[in-house]
């Protein structure tokens, strides 16, 4: 039986040898191809113009080419031999399955990153220890942080935009308008970008995400402000309401109103009755393709100066939208800053953060804080008690 097993192993080795070319065979084939290639190269060189290069340079190149090719062949043969030894000797390492990290290990990773950030900021130094305020975790702290997240860090403005067709002088007719001219639609697009109110997570300015006030509205935002525009022409009409109160409710409560007037007569600021609407920015298209701007403010209020557009200016279509938006935002700021109860967002957030730090602040000793943050078990009770 042992002899039969040896014979079978020899047969397998012979079959494997016949299935793959040996190194000697590879070398012979390579040399044959190399000789054929050199022969063709010599024939091509003879056909070339003798003035290009001399015969001595051609013959000098042949040994160099042969030497370089043999070196490449040696490296290739060694690589083939190494690959064959790995494959036929089955020296392939098994693939280790990658399991998702344990929850505690994943949390530990973020804890370590937090420690690194604190170290780089210098907050773990004994000299800066007084600037580091650990807070006591709990339900109350989570609730206060959620309220902080609801407090915006940017100033939010709501601006009304009214469309007046030719011959319209009554607010009932104005609020019944839908759509508008192509020039007016282009102006709306230049104020910002349209947002879907059902999906928008930014400032809504009282517009209904359930789409009772329309599906879309112009919106603009940058690092310091958010602006939503109340546009009655984009809100659905109520056939049972002659005054369209659901439209007037939004525009009538805005401090600043932008009026696009296509009427031949100048727009009167008292056309829409409201206790608000302290500033009207009226835009009138001219026949030469430019646009005249008129700015009206309530005489009963001493509103501080704002810009960049002022009464009587004429501007082009290219800059009309951005300038009107910026003027409306500045006008809204001027009116707001006159109110004693108004507080800016950043001071408001600062006051909330100071209140949270005073309510939930822990005062551990420096040594206890470091031992809790750099303990082997960051999830121990001692770590939680230290606020780490």
């Amino acid at each position: 039986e042992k002899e039969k097993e040896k014979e079978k192993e020899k047969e397998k080795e012979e079959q494997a040898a016949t299935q793959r070319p040996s190194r000697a065979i590879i070398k012979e084939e390579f040399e044959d191809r190399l000789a054929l290639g050199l022969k063709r190269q010599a024939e091509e060189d003879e056909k070339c113009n003798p003035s290009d290069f001399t015969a001595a340079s051609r013959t000098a190149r042949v040994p160099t080419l042969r030497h370089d090719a043999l070196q490449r062949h040696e490296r290739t043969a060694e690589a083939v031999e190494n690959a064959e030894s790995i494959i036929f000797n089955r020296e392939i390492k098994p693939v280790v399955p990658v399991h998702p990290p344990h929850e505690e290990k994943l949390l530990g990773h973020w804890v370590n990153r937090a420690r690194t950030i604190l170290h780089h900021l210098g907050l773990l130094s004994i000299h800066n220890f007084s600037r580091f305020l650990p807070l006591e975790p709990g339900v109350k702290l989570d609730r206060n942080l959620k309220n902080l997240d609801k407090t915006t860090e940017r100033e939010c403005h709501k601006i009304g935009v009214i469309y007046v067709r030719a011959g319209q002088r009554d607010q009932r007719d104005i609020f019944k308008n839908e759509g508008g001219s192509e020039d007016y639609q282009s102006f709306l697009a230049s104020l910002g970008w349209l947002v879907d109110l059902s999906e928008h997570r930014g400032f809504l300015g009282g517009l209904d995400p359930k789409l009772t006030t329309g599906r879309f509205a112009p919106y603009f935002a940058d690092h310091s402000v958010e602006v939503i525009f109340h546009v009655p022409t984009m809100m659905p009409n109520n056939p049972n309401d002659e005054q369209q109160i659901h439209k007037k409710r939004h525009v009538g409560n805005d401090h600043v109103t932008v009026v696009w007037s296509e009427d031949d007569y100048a727009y009167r600021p008292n056309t829409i009755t409201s206790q608000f609407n302290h500033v009207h920015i009226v835009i009138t298209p001219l026949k030469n393709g430019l646009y005249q701007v008129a700015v009206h403010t309530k005489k009963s209020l001493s509103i501080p100066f704002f810009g960049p557009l002022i009464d009587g200016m004429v501007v082009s279509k290219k800059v009309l939208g951005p300038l009107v938006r910026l003027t409306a935002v500045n006008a809204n700021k001027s009116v707001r800053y006159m109110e004693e109860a108004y507080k800016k967002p950043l001071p408001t957030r600062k006051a909330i953060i100071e209140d949270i730090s005073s309510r939930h602040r822990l005062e551990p000793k420096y040594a206890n804080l470091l031992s809790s943050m750099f303990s082997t078990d960051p999830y121990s009770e001692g770590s939680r008690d230290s606020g780490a």
Side-chain angles (χ1 to χ4, degrees):
E1 292 179 356
K2 292 181 179 179
E3 292 179 356
K4 290 181 179 180
E5 291 178 357
K6 290 181 180 180
E7 291 179 357
K8 290 181 179 180
E9 290 179 358
K10 289 181 179 179
E11 291 179 357
K12 290 181 180 180
E13 291 178 359
E14 292 177 357
Q15 290 178 358
T18 56
Q19 289 177 358
R20 68 180 187 276
S22 64
R23 184 174 180 180
I25 296 174
I26 295 175
K27 186 174 182 179
E28 291 177 0
E29 293 180 354
F30 179 79
E31 289 179 350
D32 293 340
R33 293 181 181 179
L34 178 62
L36 181 60
L38 292 175
K39 184 178 179 181
R40 290 178 178 176
Q41 183 65 37
E43 293 176 355
E44 292 178 359
D45 292 344
E46 291 178 357
K47 295 179 181 179
C48 294
N49 190 355
S51 61
D52 295 340
F53 51 87
T54 61
S57 63
R58 292 199 303 269
T59 55
R61 288 167 51 196
V62 173
T64 305
L65 291 172
R66 181 185 294 274
H67 177 70
D68 295 341
L70 287 173
Q71 284 186 343
R72 289 195 298 269
H73 161 69
E74 293 291 339
R75 291 194 295 268
T76 305
E78 289 178 2
V80 172
E81 186 175 358
N82 294 334
E84 289 175 353
S85 63
I86 293 174
I87 295 172
F88 290 102
N89 295 334
R90 300 183 182 278
E91 296 180 1
I92 301 175
K93 296 181 180 180
V95 179
V96 180
V98 179
H99 299 287
H102 195 268
E103 182 178 0
E104 290 187 358
K105 292 184 178 180
L106 186 61
L107 291 175
H109 167 71
W110 290 109
V111 170
N112 291 331
R113 294 193 66 177
R115 293 167 178 164
T116 305
I117 292 173
L118 292 175
H119 173 68
H120 287 310
L121 293 176
L123 297 177
L124 298 183
S125 171
I126 191 171
H127 303 289
N128 297 325
F129 178 64
S130 59
R131 300 173 57 190
F132 183 65
L133 304 177
L135 303 179
E136 182 181 3
V139 179
K140 293 183 179 180
L141 177 61
D142 294 341
R143 188 186 305 119
N144 291 334
L145 291 178
K146 289 180 180 179
N147 292 333
L148 176 63
D149 291 338
K150 293 178 182 178
T151 306
T152 179
E153 70 281 2
R154 296 180 287 187
E155 288 196 12
C156 298
H157 304 272
K158 49 190 182 71
I159 309 295
V161 181
I162 298 174
Y163 175 65
V164 180
R165 297 183 187 274
Q168 290 183 339
R169 315 248 169 82
D170 186 74
Q171 63 177 347
R172 296 184 180 183
D173 298 332
I174 293 173
F175 281 121
K176 289 179 182 179
N177 287 332
E178 290 183 319
S181 63
E182 184 178 351
D183 207 11
Y184 167 71
Q185 295 293 337
S186 177
F187 167 71
L188 288 180
S190 65
L191 292 176
W193 53 88
L194 291 181
V195 294
D196 191 335
L197 299 179
S198 62
E199 301 176 354
H200 183 55
R201 296 297 175 264
F203 179 61
L204 287 173
L207 297 180
D208 188 7
K210 296 182 180 180
L211 308 182
T212 59
T213 55
R215 187 175 189 87
F216 300 99
Y219 172 82
F220 175 82
D222 60 12
H223 68 284
S224 60
V225 297
E226 284 186 79
V227 187
I228 193 77
F229 294 91
H230 295 157
V231 185
T233 56
M234 302 182 71
M235 301 179 185
N237 283 339
N238 185 359
N240 300 323
D241 186 5
E242 189 70 19
Q243 296 184 0
Q244 304 298 323
I245 296 297
H246 66 289
K247 294 184 179 183
K248 186 178 178 181
R249 183 186 300 116
H250 294 284
V251 178
N253 291 325
D254 294 335
H255 293 310
V256 180
T257 304
V258 178
V259 182
W260 182 277
S261 178
E262 297 179 353
D263 191 20
D264 295 334
Y265 290 89
Y267 179 83
R268 293 178 300 171
N270 59 353
T271 301
I272 297 176
T273 57
S274 173
Q275 295 181 354
F276 300 94
N277 296 152
H278 303 306
V279 179
H280 291 82
I281 303 173
V282 184
I283 304 168
T284 304
L286 302 178
K287 294 181 179 181
N288 58 1
L290 300 177
Y291 301 86
Q292 185 177 8
V293 179
V295 180
H296 305 280
T297 59
K298 281 190 175 181
K299 297 180 179 180
S300 59
L301 298 176
S302 56
I303 300 175
F305 176 80
F306 56 87
L309 293 178
I310 60 177
D311 188 39
M313 292 186 69
V314 177
V315 297
S316 64
K317 183 177 182 179
K318 184 177 181 180
V319 299
L320 179 65
L323 288 179
V324 169
R325 180 183 64 232
L326 183 56
T327 305
V329 169
N330 291 337
N332 204 47
K333 288 181 180 180
S334 299
V335 176
R336 274 185 177 177
Y337 295 166
M338 296 174 61
E339 302 174 357
E340 296 181 358
Y342 176 74
K343 295 182 179 179
K344 296 182 179 180
L346 292 181
T348 302
R349 285 180 61 87
K350 181 181 179 181
I352 295 174
I353 292 173
E354 291 177 351
D355 181 66
I356 292 174
S357 63
S358 62
R359 286 174 180 269
H360 305 280
R361 180 177 180 178
L362 292 174
E363 296 183 359
K365 295 182 179 179
Y366 181 70
N368 294 339
L369 177 64
L370 292 185
S371 62
S372 64
M373 293 189 66
F374 292 93
S375 62
T376 54
D377 184 10
Y379 310 101
S380 62
E381 294 296 329
S383 299
R384 296 190 182 96
D385 295 340
S386 299

